[in-house]
Amino acid sequence: MARRLFTSESVTEGHPDKICDQISDGILDAILEQDKNARVACETAVTTGIVFVMGEITTKGYVDIPKLVRKIVCDIGYTRAKYGFDGETCSIVTSIDEQSSDIAGGVNVALEVRGEENNDPYALTGAGDQGMMFGYACDETPEFMPMSISLAHKLAKKLTDVRKEGLLPYLRPDGKTQVTVEYIDDKIARIDAIVVSTQHDPDVTQEQIRNDIIKYVIKAVVPENLLDDDTQYFVNPSGNFVIGGPNGDSGLTGRKIIVDTYGGVARHGGGAFSGKDPTKVDRSACYAARYVAKNLVAAGLASKCEIQLAYAIGMANPVSVRVDTYGTGIMSDDKIEEIVGKVFDLRPAAIIDKLDLRRPIYRQTAAYGHFGRTDVDLPWEALDKVEEIKSYIK
C-alpha cells in the first residue's frame, strides 16, 4: 500500500491578509453596485492602527472609502482598542488613480477585431492582462474540492462562528487552521493531524482553549469516521496568542492565494483575486477554469481534473487551453480538450456574461475560499454544463 500525507491551511476573516482582501473586495462591490462597467484594481495594506488603500479605479460612481473600511473592520470584530486594532479609531490613508489608458484600450477593443467591423459582442473585449490561470476539481468531497482545504476552510469558518455567536466569547478575530489528510493508494484513509491557532483574551487558560476547540470546533466539523486515536491535535502550539490581527503582523491583499484556491493541491498562476473587476482574467478566468473542471468531473470524465488557461493582454481568445486529468480520464486529455472547446466560450466577455460577474458578489469570497463554497451562491460552482458534456461522450 502506498501511503502519503497532504496538508492544507486556511485562515479566519480576522487574519491581517484576509482583512485586506475583504476591504479590497468590499470596495469593489460598492463600486459595482453603482457602476457595473467600472474598472477596479484595489489593493489594501494594514498594520498597527493603519489601513492603506491604493490602486487604480475608473468609475462613474462614488464610494466613501474610509467609511466603508471602518464598517468592514468592525464587521470582522476589531471593535475595541485592547484588540490592538479598532475600526472606529484606526487611521485610513487612500491613494487612488485611474486605470492606465494603455490597459483600458486593450480591454475595450480586442486585438483580433481592431480596425474591423464585428457584431460578436464577445469578440470585442480583450483580456486585462497576460498570464496563466488554473482551475481544479476532484471527487474527494461533495463540493468537488480536495478534502484537506475543504476541512481547513470549514474549521476556520467554525472558529469565527463560535466567536460571533458567543459560544466561545473569549476568542478574538485572528486565527489559522491546518489539516493533514492521510491517503492509502490515493484514497482518503483518515485525518492525521489538525492544527488550530486562535487569538484569545489574556485571562483564559490554554487548557480551556484546547478542550473547547476540540469539542466545539474540530469535532463539530470533521467527520467522526476520519478521526481516530492516532489523530494529532495541535491547539495554539506556540502558547499564548493574545496579540494578533494587524497589531501582531502586517497584512496585504492577495497574500493568501493558496488559501483562496485549492490548498496547494493544484497549481496556481500567481495572480491574486481580491479587489479586481472581472475584466482582469487573473480573477474571471480562474473562476471559469474552476467552472470547466468541476463540470467535467461531475460529468464523469475524470475523478480529478486541472484546467490551465493562458491569455495575452488585449486579446479575446485564450492563447492556450490545457486539460490534465492525472491519468484518471475516461478518454485522452486531448479529446477532453476538444469537448471543452465545444461546450465553453472562454473569451473574457463570454465568461463575464455567462457567470454574470458584473455584480457585487465578491466580498463574500474574500474569506474561507473562492471555490467549493456551500454557504454562499457562486455562479462558477454551477453544474449546468454536465448534460451537454455527457452528450459528447461516445
PDB file of all heavy atoms in Angstrom, residues 155 158-160 162 168 170-171 176-177 194-200 206-221 233-236:
ATOM      1  N   LEU A 155     -13.164  24.543   9.317  1.00  0.00           N
ATOM      2  CA  LEU A 155     -12.676  24.787  10.668  1.00  0.00           C
ATOM      3  C   LEU A 155     -12.484  26.283  10.922  1.00  0.00           C
ATOM      4  O   LEU A 155     -12.838  26.797  11.989  1.00  0.00           O
ATOM      5  CB  LEU A 155     -11.362  24.045  10.898  1.00  0.00           C
ATOM      6  CG  LEU A 155     -11.454  22.522  11.019  1.00  0.00           C
ATOM      7  CD1 LEU A 155     -10.057  21.910  10.976  1.00  0.00           C
ATOM      8  CD2 LEU A 155     -12.172  22.112  12.303  1.00  0.00           C
ATOM      9  N   LYS A 158     -15.838  27.840  11.330  1.00  0.00           N
ATOM     10  CA  LYS A 158     -16.423  27.482  12.625  1.00  0.00           C
ATOM     11  C   LYS A 158     -15.788  28.287  13.750  1.00  0.00           C
ATOM     12  O   LYS A 158     -16.479  28.680  14.705  1.00  0.00           O
ATOM     13  CB  LYS A 158     -16.238  25.980  12.868  1.00  0.00           C
ATOM     14  CG  LYS A 158     -17.048  25.442  14.041  1.00  0.00           C
ATOM     15  CD  LYS A 158     -18.538  25.548  13.770  1.00  0.00           C
ATOM     16  CE  LYS A 158     -19.360  24.853  14.857  1.00  0.00           C
ATOM     17  NZ  LYS A 158     -20.814  24.989  14.604  1.00  0.00           N
ATOM     18  N   LEU A 159     -14.481  28.542  13.659  1.00  0.00           N
ATOM     19  CA  LEU A 159     -13.820  29.396  14.649  1.00  0.00           C
ATOM     20  C   LEU A 159     -14.507  30.753  14.729  1.00  0.00           C
ATOM     21  O   LEU A 159     -14.747  31.279  15.823  1.00  0.00           O
ATOM     22  CB  LEU A 159     -12.349  29.598  14.267  1.00  0.00           C
ATOM     23  CG  LEU A 159     -11.261  28.782  14.946  1.00  0.00           C
ATOM     24  CD1 LEU A 159      -9.897  29.261  14.485  1.00  0.00           C
ATOM     25  CD2 LEU A 159     -11.369  28.863  16.459  1.00  0.00           C
ATOM     26  N   THR A 160     -14.810  31.321  13.583  1.00  0.00           N
ATOM     27  CA  THR A 160     -15.481  32.618  13.545  1.00  0.00           C
ATOM     28  C   THR A 160     -16.904  32.510  14.075  1.00  0.00           C
ATOM     29  O   THR A 160     -17.378  33.374  14.825  1.00  0.00           O
ATOM     30  CB  THR A 160     -15.481  33.172  12.112  1.00  0.00           C
ATOM     31  OG1 THR A 160     -14.128  33.406  11.701  1.00  0.00           O
ATOM     32  CG2 THR A 160     -16.264  34.476  12.026  1.00  0.00           C
ATOM     33  N   VAL A 162     -18.277  30.365  16.280  1.00  0.00           N
ATOM     34  CA  VAL A 162     -18.399  30.200  17.733  1.00  0.00           C
ATOM     35  C   VAL A 162     -18.002  31.473  18.468  1.00  0.00           C
ATOM     36  O   VAL A 162     -18.462  31.716  19.598  1.00  0.00           O
ATOM     37  CB  VAL A 162     -17.576  28.995  18.253  1.00  0.00           C
ATOM     38  CG1 VAL A 162     -18.103  27.701  17.653  1.00  0.00           C
ATOM     39  CG2 VAL A 162     -16.082  29.154  17.985  1.00  0.00           C
ATOM     40  N   LEU A 168     -17.971  30.766  22.389  1.00  0.00           N
ATOM     41  CA  LEU A 168     -16.638  30.900  22.980  1.00  0.00           C
ATOM     42  C   LEU A 168     -16.274  32.384  22.947  1.00  0.00           C
ATOM     43  O   LEU A 168     -15.498  32.836  22.095  1.00  0.00           O
ATOM     44  CB  LEU A 168     -15.614  30.056  22.212  1.00  0.00           C
ATOM     45  CG  LEU A 168     -15.888  28.549  22.127  1.00  0.00           C
ATOM     46  CD1 LEU A 168     -14.784  27.846  21.329  1.00  0.00           C
ATOM     47  CD2 LEU A 168     -16.028  27.920  23.500  1.00  0.00           C
ATOM     48  N   TYR A 170     -14.403  34.310  24.546  1.00  0.00           N
ATOM     49  CA  TYR A 170     -13.037  34.758  24.793  1.00  0.00           C
ATOM     50  C   TYR A 170     -12.175  34.749  23.532  1.00  0.00           C
ATOM     51  O   TYR A 170     -11.036  35.216  23.540  1.00  0.00           O
ATOM     52  CB  TYR A 170     -12.373  33.895  25.866  1.00  0.00           C
ATOM     53  CG  TYR A 170     -12.323  32.420  25.547  1.00  0.00           C
ATOM     54  CD1 TYR A 170     -11.347  31.910  24.684  1.00  0.00           C
ATOM     55  CD2 TYR A 170     -13.236  31.535  26.108  1.00  0.00           C
ATOM     56  CE1 TYR A 170     -11.293  30.566  24.383  1.00  0.00           C
ATOM     57  CE2 TYR A 170     -13.182  30.176  25.808  1.00  0.00           C
ATOM     58  CZ  TYR A 170     -12.214  29.697  24.954  1.00  0.00           C
ATOM     59  OH  TYR A 170     -12.167  28.362  24.647  1.00  0.00           O
ATOM     60  N   LEU A 171     -12.691  34.219  22.435  1.00  0.00           N
ATOM     61  CA  LEU A 171     -11.929  34.225  21.184  1.00  0.00           C
ATOM     62  C   LEU A 171     -11.897  35.622  20.584  1.00  0.00           C
ATOM     63  O   LEU A 171     -12.830  36.418  20.745  1.00  0.00           O
ATOM     64  CB  LEU A 171     -12.537  33.244  20.179  1.00  0.00           C
ATOM     65  CG  LEU A 171     -12.537  31.768  20.550  1.00  0.00           C
ATOM     66  CD1 LEU A 171     -13.105  30.940  19.406  1.00  0.00           C
ATOM     67  CD2 LEU A 171     -11.138  31.287  20.906  1.00  0.00           C
ATOM     68  N   LYS A 176      -5.902  30.654  12.529  1.00  0.00           N
ATOM     69  CA  LYS A 176      -5.453  29.833  11.401  1.00  0.00           C
ATOM     70  C   LYS A 176      -5.791  28.378  11.683  1.00  0.00           C
ATOM     71  O   LYS A 176      -5.826  27.940  12.837  1.00  0.00           O
ATOM     72  CB  LYS A 176      -3.941  29.973  11.188  1.00  0.00           C
ATOM     73  CG  LYS A 176      -3.458  31.385  10.935  1.00  0.00           C
ATOM     74  CD  LYS A 176      -1.953  31.455  10.732  1.00  0.00           C
ATOM     75  CE  LYS A 176      -1.567  31.014   9.334  1.00  0.00           C
ATOM     76  NZ  LYS A 176      -0.134  31.263   9.063  1.00  0.00           N
ATOM     77  N   THR A 177      -6.032  27.633  10.619  1.00  0.00           N
ATOM     78  CA  THR A 177      -6.296  26.199  10.733  1.00  0.00           C
ATOM     79  C   THR A 177      -5.439  25.445   9.724  1.00  0.00           C
ATOM     80  O   THR A 177      -4.999  26.017   8.717  1.00  0.00           O
ATOM     81  CB  THR A 177      -7.781  25.882  10.471  1.00  0.00           C
ATOM     82  OG1 THR A 177      -8.109  26.268   9.125  1.00  0.00           O
ATOM     83  CG2 THR A 177      -8.683  26.624  11.442  1.00  0.00           C
ATOM     84  N   ILE A 194      -4.425  17.906  12.915  1.00  0.00           N
ATOM     85  CA  ILE A 194      -5.192  19.142  12.807  1.00  0.00           C
ATOM     86  C   ILE A 194      -4.514  20.194  13.669  1.00  0.00           C
ATOM     87  O   ILE A 194      -4.195  19.947  14.841  1.00  0.00           O
ATOM     88  CB  ILE A 194      -6.655  18.947  13.264  1.00  0.00           C
ATOM     89  CG1 ILE A 194      -7.370  17.952  12.349  1.00  0.00           C
ATOM     90  CG2 ILE A 194      -7.398  20.282  13.298  1.00  0.00           C
ATOM     91  CD1 ILE A 194      -8.755  17.572  12.830  1.00  0.00           C
ATOM     92  N   VAL A 195      -4.272  21.363  13.088  1.00  0.00           N
ATOM     93  CA  VAL A 195      -3.669  22.478  13.811  1.00  0.00           C
ATOM     94  C   VAL A 195      -4.664  23.633  13.830  1.00  0.00           C
ATOM     95  O   VAL A 195      -5.202  24.009  12.785  1.00  0.00           O
ATOM     96  CB  VAL A 195      -2.353  22.944  13.144  1.00  0.00           C
ATOM     97  CG1 VAL A 195      -1.708  24.063  13.957  1.00  0.00           C
ATOM     98  CG2 VAL A 195      -1.386  21.780  12.970  1.00  0.00           C
ATOM     99  N   VAL A 196      -4.925  24.167  15.020  1.00  0.00           N
ATOM    100  CA  VAL A 196      -5.772  25.357  15.155  1.00  0.00           C
ATOM    101  C   VAL A 196      -5.051  26.351  16.046  1.00  0.00           C
ATOM    102  O   VAL A 196      -4.702  26.033  17.189  1.00  0.00           O
ATOM    103  CB  VAL A 196      -7.151  25.021  15.765  1.00  0.00           C
ATOM    104  CG1 VAL A 196      -7.967  26.304  15.938  1.00  0.00           C
ATOM    105  CG2 VAL A 196      -7.907  24.024  14.902  1.00  0.00           C
ATOM    106  N   SER A 197      -4.806  27.530  15.512  1.00  0.00           N
ATOM    107  CA  SER A 197      -4.234  28.617  16.304  1.00  0.00           C
ATOM    108  C   SER A 197      -5.245  29.749  16.329  1.00  0.00           C
ATOM    109  O   SER A 197      -5.666  30.228  15.270  1.00  0.00           O
ATOM    110  CB  SER A 197      -2.914  29.100  15.698  1.00  0.00           C
ATOM    111  OG  SER A 197      -1.928  28.087  15.753  1.00  0.00           O
ATOM    112  N   THR A 198      -5.650  30.166  17.519  1.00  0.00           N
ATOM    113  CA  THR A 198      -6.691  31.180  17.622  1.00  0.00           C
ATOM    114  C   THR A 198      -6.318  32.265  18.613  1.00  0.00           C
ATOM    115  O   THR A 198      -5.837  31.976  19.727  1.00  0.00           O
ATOM    116  CB  THR A 198      -8.037  30.542  18.018  1.00  0.00           C
ATOM    117  OG1 THR A 198      -9.039  31.570  18.112  1.00  0.00           O
ATOM    118  CG2 THR A 198      -7.956  29.793  19.343  1.00  0.00           C
ATOM    119  N   GLN A 199      -6.544  33.493  18.213  1.00  0.00           N
ATOM    120  CA  GLN A 199      -6.354  34.634  19.098  1.00  0.00           C
ATOM    121  C   GLN A 199      -7.390  34.573  20.222  1.00  0.00           C
ATOM    122  O   GLN A 199      -8.516  34.105  20.023  1.00  0.00           O
ATOM    123  CB  GLN A 199      -6.508  35.931  18.299  1.00  0.00           C
ATOM    124  CG  GLN A 199      -6.127  37.195  19.056  1.00  0.00           C
ATOM    125  CD  GLN A 199      -6.419  38.451  18.255  1.00  0.00           C
ATOM    126  OE1 GLN A 199      -7.116  38.416  17.261  1.00  0.00           O
ATOM    127  NE2 GLN A 199      -5.898  39.582  18.709  1.00  0.00           N
ATOM    128  N   HIS A 200      -6.994  35.056  21.421  1.00  0.00           N
ATOM    129  CA  HIS A 200      -7.878  34.902  22.571  1.00  0.00           C
ATOM    130  C   HIS A 200      -7.640  36.005  23.594  1.00  0.00           C
ATOM    131  O   HIS A 200      -6.626  36.707  23.555  1.00  0.00           O
ATOM    132  CB  HIS A 200      -7.645  33.533  23.231  1.00  0.00           C
ATOM    133  CG  HIS A 200      -6.226  33.318  23.670  1.00  0.00           C
ATOM    134  ND1 HIS A 200      -5.740  33.747  24.885  1.00  0.00           N
ATOM    135  CD2 HIS A 200      -5.169  32.731  23.037  1.00  0.00           C
ATOM    136  CE1 HIS A 200      -4.460  33.437  24.991  1.00  0.00           C
ATOM    137  NE2 HIS A 200      -4.087  32.817  23.877  1.00  0.00           N
ATOM    138  N   GLN A 206      -4.738  27.972  28.412  1.00  0.00           N
ATOM    139  CA  GLN A 206      -4.538  27.192  27.195  1.00  0.00           C
ATOM    140  C   GLN A 206      -5.244  25.842  27.283  1.00  0.00           C
ATOM    141  O   GLN A 206      -5.689  25.294  26.275  1.00  0.00           O
ATOM    142  CB  GLN A 206      -3.047  27.001  26.927  1.00  0.00           C
ATOM    143  CG  GLN A 206      -2.315  28.271  26.537  1.00  0.00           C
ATOM    144  CD  GLN A 206      -2.885  28.907  25.281  1.00  0.00           C
ATOM    145  OE1 GLN A 206      -3.183  28.216  24.305  1.00  0.00           O
ATOM    146  NE2 GLN A 206      -3.041  30.225  25.293  1.00  0.00           N
ATOM    147  N   GLU A 207      -5.383  25.306  28.494  1.00  0.00           N
ATOM    148  CA  GLU A 207      -6.093  24.041  28.671  1.00  0.00           C
ATOM    149  C   GLU A 207      -7.557  24.194  28.275  1.00  0.00           C
ATOM    150  O   GLU A 207      -8.121  23.331  27.585  1.00  0.00           O
ATOM    151  CB  GLU A 207      -5.994  23.570  30.118  1.00  0.00           C
ATOM    152  CG  GLU A 207      -6.703  22.241  30.364  1.00  0.00           C
ATOM    153  CD  GLU A 207      -6.632  21.801  31.818  1.00  0.00           C
ATOM    154  OE1 GLU A 207      -6.160  22.594  32.664  1.00  0.00           O
ATOM    155  OE2 GLU A 207      -7.060  20.664  32.112  1.00  0.00           O
ATOM    156  N   GLN A 208      -8.192  25.309  28.708  1.00  0.00           N
ATOM    157  CA  GLN A 208      -9.588  25.521  28.340  1.00  0.00           C
ATOM    158  C   GLN A 208      -9.735  25.723  26.841  1.00  0.00           C
ATOM    159  O   GLN A 208     -10.656  25.190  26.215  1.00  0.00           O
ATOM    160  CB  GLN A 208     -10.171  26.730  29.084  1.00  0.00           C
ATOM    161  CG  GLN A 208     -11.644  26.966  28.741  1.00  0.00           C
ATOM    162  CD  GLN A 208     -12.231  28.184  29.426  1.00  0.00           C
ATOM    163  OE1 GLN A 208     -11.597  28.800  30.285  1.00  0.00           O
ATOM    164  NE2 GLN A 208     -13.457  28.549  29.041  1.00  0.00           N
ATOM    165  N   ILE A 209      -8.817  26.502  26.254  1.00  0.00           N
ATOM    166  CA  ILE A 209      -8.872  26.734  24.807  1.00  0.00           C
ATOM    167  C   ILE A 209      -8.781  25.406  24.065  1.00  0.00           C
ATOM    168  O   ILE A 209      -9.569  25.135  23.149  1.00  0.00           O
ATOM    169  CB  ILE A 209      -7.745  27.684  24.367  1.00  0.00           C
ATOM    170  CG1 ILE A 209      -7.946  29.075  24.971  1.00  0.00           C
ATOM    171  CG2 ILE A 209      -7.693  27.782  22.845  1.00  0.00           C
ATOM    172  CD1 ILE A 209      -6.779  30.014  24.767  1.00  0.00           C
ATOM    173  N   ARG A 210      -7.836  24.561  24.459  1.00  0.00           N
ATOM    174  CA  ARG A 210      -7.659  23.270  23.777  1.00  0.00           C
ATOM    175  C   ARG A 210      -8.926  22.424  23.875  1.00  0.00           C
ATOM    176  O   ARG A 210      -9.416  21.907  22.862  1.00  0.00           O
ATOM    177  CB  ARG A 210      -6.463  22.517  24.383  1.00  0.00           C
ATOM    178  CG  ARG A 210      -6.288  21.117  23.798  1.00  0.00           C
ATOM    179  CD  ARG A 210      -5.139  20.362  24.446  1.00  0.00           C
ATOM    180  NE  ARG A 210      -5.122  18.955  24.013  1.00  0.00           N
ATOM    181  CZ  ARG A 210      -4.602  18.521  22.887  1.00  0.00           C
ATOM    182  NH1 ARG A 210      -4.039  19.382  22.052  1.00  0.00           N
ATOM    183  NH2 ARG A 210      -4.638  17.240  22.574  1.00  0.00           N
ATOM    184  N   ASN A 211      -9.459  22.306  25.077  1.00  0.00           N
ATOM    185  CA  ASN A 211     -10.652  21.478  25.262  1.00  0.00           C
ATOM    186  C   ASN A 211     -11.837  22.018  24.466  1.00  0.00           C
ATOM    187  O   ASN A 211     -12.582  21.253  23.837  1.00  0.00           O
ATOM    188  CB  ASN A 211     -11.003  21.392  26.743  1.00  0.00           C
ATOM    189  CG  ASN A 211      -9.977  20.600  27.544  1.00  0.00           C
ATOM    190  OD1 ASN A 211      -9.260  19.764  26.986  1.00  0.00           O
ATOM    191  ND2 ASN A 211      -9.895  20.854  28.843  1.00  0.00           N
ATOM    192  N   ASP A 212     -12.022  23.333  24.508  1.00  0.00           N
ATOM    193  CA  ASP A 212     -13.156  23.940  23.800  1.00  0.00           C
ATOM    194  C   ASP A 212     -13.011  23.829  22.287  1.00  0.00           C
ATOM    195  O   ASP A 212     -13.989  23.548  21.579  1.00  0.00           O
ATOM    196  CB  ASP A 212     -13.304  25.418  24.199  1.00  0.00           C
ATOM    197  CG  ASP A 212     -13.879  25.596  25.592  1.00  0.00           C
ATOM    198  OD1 ASP A 212     -14.400  24.614  26.150  1.00  0.00           O
ATOM    199  OD2 ASP A 212     -13.814  26.736  26.120  1.00  0.00           O
ATOM    200  N   ILE A 213     -11.806  24.047  21.772  1.00  0.00           N
ATOM    201  CA  ILE A 213     -11.600  23.988  20.322  1.00  0.00           C
ATOM    202  C   ILE A 213     -11.816  22.565  19.807  1.00  0.00           C
ATOM    203  O   ILE A 213     -12.450  22.352  18.765  1.00  0.00           O
ATOM    204  CB  ILE A 213     -10.194  24.496  19.945  1.00  0.00           C
ATOM    205  CG1 ILE A 213     -10.057  25.989  20.238  1.00  0.00           C
ATOM    206  CG2 ILE A 213      -9.899  24.208  18.475  1.00  0.00           C
ATOM    207  CD1 ILE A 213     -11.061  26.877  19.537  1.00  0.00           C
ATOM    208  N   ILE A 214     -11.320  21.573  20.537  1.00  0.00           N
ATOM    209  CA  ILE A 214     -11.532  20.180  20.105  1.00  0.00           C
ATOM    210  C   ILE A 214     -13.026  19.842  20.124  1.00  0.00           C
ATOM    211  O   ILE A 214     -13.550  19.239  19.179  1.00  0.00           O
ATOM    212  CB  ILE A 214     -10.734  19.210  20.998  1.00  0.00           C
ATOM    213  CG1 ILE A 214      -9.227  19.375  20.738  1.00  0.00           C
ATOM    214  CG2 ILE A 214     -11.159  17.770  20.742  1.00  0.00           C
ATOM    215  CD1 ILE A 214      -8.341  18.561  21.661  1.00  0.00           C
ATOM    216  N   LYS A 215     -13.739  20.276  21.177  1.00  0.00           N
ATOM    217  CA  LYS A 215     -15.153  19.923  21.316  1.00  0.00           C
ATOM    218  C   LYS A 215     -16.054  20.710  20.374  1.00  0.00           C
ATOM    219  O   LYS A 215     -16.898  20.127  19.670  1.00  0.00           O
ATOM    220  CB  LYS A 215     -15.597  20.156  22.763  1.00  0.00           C
ATOM    221  CG  LYS A 215     -17.067  19.850  23.007  1.00  0.00           C
ATOM    222  CD  LYS A 215     -17.444  20.074  24.472  1.00  0.00           C
ATOM    223  CE  LYS A 215     -18.921  19.786  24.712  1.00  0.00           C
ATOM    224  NZ  LYS A 215     -19.296  20.004  26.145  1.00  0.00           N
ATOM    225  N   TYR A 216     -15.900  22.043  20.358  1.00  0.00           N
ATOM    226  CA  TYR A 216     -16.864  22.898  19.676  1.00  0.00           C
ATOM    227  C   TYR A 216     -16.476  23.263  18.242  1.00  0.00           C
ATOM    228  O   TYR A 216     -17.308  23.759  17.494  1.00  0.00           O
ATOM    229  CB  TYR A 216     -17.091  24.191  20.471  1.00  0.00           C
ATOM    230  CG  TYR A 216     -17.727  23.962  21.811  1.00  0.00           C
ATOM    231  CD1 TYR A 216     -16.996  24.148  22.987  1.00  0.00           C
ATOM    232  CD2 TYR A 216     -19.049  23.535  21.917  1.00  0.00           C
ATOM    233  CE1 TYR A 216     -17.578  23.939  24.230  1.00  0.00           C
ATOM    234  CE2 TYR A 216     -19.637  23.319  23.158  1.00  0.00           C
ATOM    235  CZ  TYR A 216     -18.901  23.524  24.313  1.00  0.00           C
ATOM    236  OH  TYR A 216     -19.477  23.305  25.538  1.00  0.00           O
ATOM    237  N   VAL A 217     -15.220  23.035  17.880  1.00  0.00           N
ATOM    238  CA  VAL A 217     -14.774  23.381  16.526  1.00  0.00           C
ATOM    239  C   VAL A 217     -14.408  22.117  15.754  1.00  0.00           C
ATOM    240  O   VAL A 217     -15.055  21.766  14.765  1.00  0.00           O
ATOM    241  CB  VAL A 217     -13.592  24.378  16.561  1.00  0.00           C
ATOM    242  CG1 VAL A 217     -13.101  24.667  15.149  1.00  0.00           C
ATOM    243  CG2 VAL A 217     -14.013  25.676  17.250  1.00  0.00           C
ATOM    244  N   ILE A 218     -13.394  21.407  16.208  1.00  0.00           N
ATOM    245  CA  ILE A 218     -12.883  20.273  15.434  1.00  0.00           C
ATOM    246  C   ILE A 218     -13.927  19.161  15.317  1.00  0.00           C
ATOM    247  O   ILE A 218     -14.283  18.738  14.209  1.00  0.00           O
ATOM    248  CB  ILE A 218     -11.585  19.733  16.060  1.00  0.00           C
ATOM    249  CG1 ILE A 218     -10.475  20.794  15.959  1.00  0.00           C
ATOM    250  CG2 ILE A 218     -11.152  18.442  15.361  1.00  0.00           C
ATOM    251  CD1 ILE A 218      -9.190  20.425  16.673  1.00  0.00           C
ATOM    252  N   LYS A 219     -14.449  18.689  16.442  1.00  0.00           N
ATOM    253  CA  LYS A 219     -15.373  17.557  16.391  1.00  0.00           C
ATOM    254  C   LYS A 219     -16.754  17.948  15.883  1.00  0.00           C
ATOM    255  O   LYS A 219     -17.546  17.078  15.505  1.00  0.00           O
ATOM    256  CB  LYS A 219     -15.449  16.884  17.761  1.00  0.00           C
ATOM    257  CG  LYS A 219     -14.107  16.227  18.121  1.00  0.00           C
ATOM    258  CD  LYS A 219     -14.221  15.224  19.236  1.00  0.00           C
ATOM    259  CE  LYS A 219     -12.895  14.478  19.405  1.00  0.00           C
ATOM    260  NZ  LYS A 219     -12.938  13.502  20.526  1.00  0.00           N
ATOM    261  N   ALA A 220     -17.013  19.255  15.829  1.00  0.00           N
ATOM    262  CA  ALA A 220     -18.267  19.718  15.230  1.00  0.00           C
ATOM    263  C   ALA A 220     -18.185  19.810  13.715  1.00  0.00           C
ATOM    264  O   ALA A 220     -19.211  19.912  13.046  1.00  0.00           O
ATOM    265  CB  ALA A 220     -18.639  21.089  15.805  1.00  0.00           C
ATOM    266  N   VAL A 221     -16.977  19.739  13.180  1.00  0.00           N
ATOM    267  CA  VAL A 221     -16.764  19.936  11.743  1.00  0.00           C
ATOM    268  C   VAL A 221     -16.267  18.667  11.053  1.00  0.00           C
ATOM    269  O   VAL A 221     -16.782  18.267  10.003  1.00  0.00           O
ATOM    270  CB  VAL A 221     -15.770  21.096  11.499  1.00  0.00           C
ATOM    271  CG1 VAL A 221     -15.277  21.102  10.058  1.00  0.00           C
ATOM    272  CG2 VAL A 221     -16.407  22.430  11.849  1.00  0.00           C
ATOM    273  N   TYR A 233      -3.825  16.497  17.578  1.00  0.00           N
ATOM    274  CA  TYR A 233      -4.459  17.808  17.702  1.00  0.00           C
ATOM    275  C   TYR A 233      -3.445  18.797  18.266  1.00  0.00           C
ATOM    276  O   TYR A 233      -2.900  18.587  19.350  1.00  0.00           O
ATOM    277  CB  TYR A 233      -5.676  17.739  18.635  1.00  0.00           C
ATOM    278  CG  TYR A 233      -6.727  16.746  18.217  1.00  0.00           C
ATOM    279  CD1 TYR A 233      -6.885  15.546  18.902  1.00  0.00           C
ATOM    280  CD2 TYR A 233      -7.570  17.000  17.145  1.00  0.00           C
ATOM    281  CE1 TYR A 233      -7.853  14.623  18.527  1.00  0.00           C
ATOM    282  CE2 TYR A 233      -8.540  16.085  16.756  1.00  0.00           C
ATOM    283  CZ  TYR A 233      -8.673  14.899  17.449  1.00  0.00           C
ATOM    284  OH  TYR A 233      -9.632  14.003  17.072  1.00  0.00           O
ATOM    285  N   PHE A 234      -3.186  19.862  17.522  1.00  0.00           N
ATOM    286  CA  PHE A 234      -2.288  20.920  17.979  1.00  0.00           C
ATOM    287  C   PHE A 234      -3.102  22.209  18.072  1.00  0.00           C
ATOM    288  O   PHE A 234      -3.472  22.795  17.049  1.00  0.00           O
ATOM    289  CB  PHE A 234      -1.123  21.091  17.013  1.00  0.00           C
ATOM    290  CG  PHE A 234      -0.306  19.848  16.812  1.00  0.00           C
ATOM    291  CD1 PHE A 234      -0.502  19.032  15.702  1.00  0.00           C
ATOM    292  CD2 PHE A 234       0.660  19.490  17.735  1.00  0.00           C
ATOM    293  CE1 PHE A 234       0.243  17.897  15.507  1.00  0.00           C
ATOM    294  CE2 PHE A 234       1.420  18.337  17.554  1.00  0.00           C
ATOM    295  CZ  PHE A 234       1.211  17.538  16.440  1.00  0.00           C
ATOM    296  N   VAL A 235      -3.406  22.627  19.295  1.00  0.00           N
ATOM    297  CA  VAL A 235      -4.192  23.833  19.522  1.00  0.00           C
ATOM    298  C   VAL A 235      -3.289  24.887  20.168  1.00  0.00           C
ATOM    299  O   VAL A 235      -2.722  24.653  21.241  1.00  0.00           O
ATOM    300  CB  VAL A 235      -5.417  23.551  20.412  1.00  0.00           C
ATOM    301  CG1 VAL A 235      -6.201  24.837  20.668  1.00  0.00           C
ATOM    302  CG2 VAL A 235      -6.311  22.498  19.757  1.00  0.00           C
ATOM    303  N   ASN A 236      -3.138  26.010  19.485  1.00  0.00           N
ATOM    304  CA  ASN A 236      -2.220  27.076  19.917  1.00  0.00           C
ATOM    305  C   ASN A 236      -0.859  26.492  20.323  1.00  0.00           C
ATOM    306  O   ASN A 236      -0.408  26.652  21.469  1.00  0.00           O
ATOM    307  CB  ASN A 236      -2.816  27.880  21.070  1.00  0.00           C
ATOM    308  CG  ASN A 236      -3.852  28.880  20.598  1.00  0.00           C
ATOM    309  OD1 ASN A 236      -4.237  28.883  19.432  1.00  0.00           O
ATOM    310  ND2 ASN A 236      -4.299  29.752  21.485  1.00  0.00           N
TER     311      ASN A 236
END
